[in-house]
Amino acid sequence: METKPVITCLKTLLIVYSFVFWITGAILLAVGVWGKLMLGPYISLIADNSTNAPYVLIGTGTVIIVFGLFGCFATCRGSPWMLKLYAMFLSLVFLAELVAGISGFVFRHEIKGTFRRTYNDAVLNYNAEDEASRAVDNLQHKLRCCGVYNYTSWFASVYYPSNGIPASCCFNASDCNPEDLRNATVAPNKVYHQGCFDLVTSFMETNMAIIAGVTFGIAFSQLIGMLLACCLSRIITANQYEMV
C-alpha cells in the first residue's frame, strides 16, 4: 500500500475529528456561560460555598477550542511533533473526563447530602430577598414543589411566623393570600405537598446512568483522536513525508 494515500486518509479523518472536538469545546463554553448567567442561584443551592463549576466549563471549553484549532493546523502541516503534542493533550482530556465521570458517580450520595443541607439552610433562612431565597422561589414554582420534604419544612423557617409559607408554594396564585399562608390549617389546601428534595434527587438518580454513559462516551472518543494523531505522526516520521 502506498504511503501517500494512507497519510491523506489519516489526515482527512483527523481533521474531521478535530472539527468535532472543536464543536465539543464550543458547546462546553456555551453551557458554562449559560450556567453562569442562568443557573447561578440554583448552583448555590447545591454547593456549600460558591462553586467555580461554570468557570471550569468556560475554561475547559476555551482550551478545547484552542487545541481543536491546533489539531487542524498540526494535521495540515503534517508536523510529527505537533501531532504528538496534540495526542498528549487528548490523553490529558481523556484522563480528566474519566476522573470527573467516576468521581461524580461515586460521590453522588455526597452531592445529594450537600444539596439536602444547603437547601434546608436556604429554607430556614429564607427572607424572599437574597439570591438563595429567589432560587428557592424559582425552584418551587417551576418544579411545583414546596419545602425540603413537604410544606411543613417552612414551619421552622424564620420567615414563617410573620409571613407564612412563601407564595411560590401556591398551586393557584389567584387563590392564595398571606393570611391563608400563615394559617397552618388552611395553608395545606393552598400549597403543593410534594417536597423539592425528592423531586430533584429522583431526577438525578433516574438520569445518572445516562449522564455517566454520555460522559464516558465522550471521554473514550478522545482515544480515537489519540490513535489517529499517533499513527499519522509515526507514518510521517517513518517515511520522512513533507508537505509541499
Side-chain angles (χ1 to χ4, degrees):
M1 184 181 294
E2 294 184 3
T3 302
K4 191 169 183 178
V6 175
I7 293 177
T8 301
C9 180
L10 287 175
K11 280 188 172 185
T12 302
L13 291 175
L14 191 55
I15 288 176
V16 171
Y17 173 84
S18 297
F19 177 73
V20 174
F21 188 55
W22 183 88
I23 293 295
T24 302
I27 292 174
L28 285 177
L29 178 60
V31 170
V33 173
W34 176 75
K36 178 59 182 174
L37 297 177
M38 304 298 295
L39 300 181
Y42 298 106
I43 293 175
S44 67
L45 294 177
I46 299 176
D48 286 317
N49 302 307
S50 59
T51 178
N52 293 320
Y55 296 110
V56 171
L57 289 176
I58 292 173
T60 303
T62 302
V63 172
I64 287 178
I65 288 174
V66 171
F67 270 89
L69 294 174
F70 175 80
C72 290
F73 178 73
T75 304
C76 292
R77 282 290 305 274
S79 172
W81 74 266
M82 285 186 177
L83 290 169
K84 290 177 181 178
L85 181 61
Y86 184 47
M88 184 181 301
F89 172 74
L90 290 176
S91 66
L92 293 177
V93 173
F94 166 73
L95 292 175
E97 290 176 343
L98 198 61
V99 170
I102 294 174
S103 298
F105 187 78
V106 171
F107 295 107
R108 64 189 185 281
H109 296 299
E110 291 188 17
I111 296 174
K112 288 171 58 178
T114 300
F115 173 62
R116 180 193 295 111
R117 184 169 58 257
T118 53
Y119 189 66
N120 186 63
D121 289 342
V123 168
L124 294 177
N125 299 302
Y126 178 90
N127 60 17
E129 296 178 357
D130 61 16
E131 184 180 57
S133 297
R134 291 194 297 271
V136 169
D137 282 334
N138 288 332
L139 188 67
Q140 292 186 149
H141 178 70
K142 292 183 178 180
L143 296 185
R144 299 181 178 181
C145 57
C146 187
V148 182
Y149 299 106
N150 53 52
Y151 67 91
T152 60
S153 301
W154 287 104
F155 293 165
S157 172
V158 296
Y159 183 82
Y160 181 80
S162 57
N163 300 282
I165 298 175
S168 56
C169 280
C170 297
F171 49 76
N172 186 357
S174 61
D175 185 30
C176 213
N177 57 69
E179 289 75 17
D180 291 340
L181 294 175
R182 285 195 296 268
N183 191 319
T185 303
V186 178
N189 299 318
K190 306 284 186 177
V191 300
Y192 300 113
H193 287 200
Q194 177 71 55
C196 297
F197 175 77
D198 291 334
L199 284 177
V200 173
T201 54
S202 176
F203 175 82
M204 290 173 57
E205 289 290 342
T206 302
N207 295 277
M208 184 59 70
I210 297 176
I211 295 172
V214 171
T215 301
F216 288 127
I218 293 175
F220 280 100
S221 70
Q222 314 305 325
L223 296 178
I224 299 175
M226 291 165 55
L227 180 63
L228 290 173
C230 290
C231 287
L232 181 57
S233 174
R234 182 173 181 179
I235 292 176
I236 291 176
T237 301
N239 293 274
Q240 298 180 344
Y241 179 80
E242 295 182 357
M243 290 291 296
V244 177

